[in-house]
Amino acid sequence: MKEKLHFNSQTIHGGQHPDKAYGAVMPPIYQTSTYAQTTPGGHQGFEYSRTHNPTRKALENSLASIEGGNFGFAFGSGLAAMDAVLKLLQPGDEIISTNDLYGGSYRLFTKIFEGFGLKFHFVGMEDTANISRCITSNTKLIWVETPTNPMMNIIDIQAVAKIAKTHKILLAVDNTFASSYLQQPLTLGADIVMHSATKYLAGHSDVVLGALVVNDTDLAERIGFIQNASGAICGPMDSFLTLRGIKTLHVRMQRHCENAREIAHFLKNNPKIENVFWPGFEEHPNHQIAKSQMHDFGGMLSFVTKGGDYKAAIKIVERLQLFTLAESLGGVESLAGHPASMTHASIPKAEREKSGVVDALIRLSVGIEDVRDLIADLEQAIG
Ligand SMILES: *Cc1c(COP(=O)(O)O)cnc(C)c1O
């Protein structure tokens, strides 16, 4: 019965059972490293907490459920989850990645894994021909981030999945920006879905955690092996907080989307604003794909002011009062960021500007406050 639930029930019940010891409805925080055995190997499924922990297991079951997948894995951060995916590869393997992607992902690819002999191609994936052009017999992974950060481009997951299947290449999708509420990449043909659960899944800016979900049993075995062998797991307390966050994901996301929609239109109608990047606009170049693969348009948007430059953007983000100037996104509170100097500072300026991340760009993670207060704050900051 539980597996057939609608999404808004899966967030609460998916893969969950009352705890075996006392029937606790929320899984206890099993703050233990090890488990008593009656005889060597005589245990109840848990031996050592790097390998398995009941609180983490409850979270991993929930993650699998909300992504419509069979196997969930939780890690110490989103980047630790990505690190585990890259360890599926061998020196000489090639990866094709979205060009407009999270700065930390770019840093992990280029500063760590290029050194271990992996080769990365960064391409604009709105045109899937750019992917096909880069495929060689060594291509083993396609890495997609959609909506992209911070330009809010939309990549057609089904179209990329078709290419990946034809060439027997693994397809991984970073689903952090959309969250499982808006889009479920496995159902669109992806092999691996990755989350920085730090963002919308946990949702309260109080935990750093990463996740992977897959369907295929062999792939799950390999990822489970890496998770245990490399050991980048999350602790029981953070697992608990993330599981608690997921239970309200659907209600939060609904409000994030409503508020972002109003703010996108407010900005668009403001004479001081040059451009607003939000996939819900009909004239957004990938609007139709967004409409077909996402349930709504999300809580993220970015914009540039008319004649804006580095200084003007800094002035606006400093003047904001209700929007907190901070890295990260996806929490209940609204955040503003200046990608060029913050999240994307690790990407060289020339590389950054090729994908539109200019000095004047401001990114908003629209929270779930009263939207009238958010608009008033933007109004006074833009001046
Ligand atoms: C934050 C983020 C990451 C990295 O996740 P951490 O939990 O910070 O390690 C990866 N991808 C995207 C899109 C992100 O926003």
Side-chain angles (χ1 to χ4, degrees), residues 139-158:
T139 309
K140 294 290 154 59
L141 175 69
I142 299 177
W143 187 271
V144 170
E145 190 179 315
T146 180
T148 67
N149 175 18
M151 297 312 298
M152 309 306 298
N153 293 315
I154 304 293
I155 296 160
D156 186 340
I157 297 173
Q158 261 178 318

Side-chain angles (χ1 to χ4, degrees), residues 63-82:
L63 291 164
S65 169
I66 61 171
E67 279 294 343
N70 293 328
F71 307 96
F73 301 91
F75 294 85
S77 70
L79 288 177
M82 289 182 70

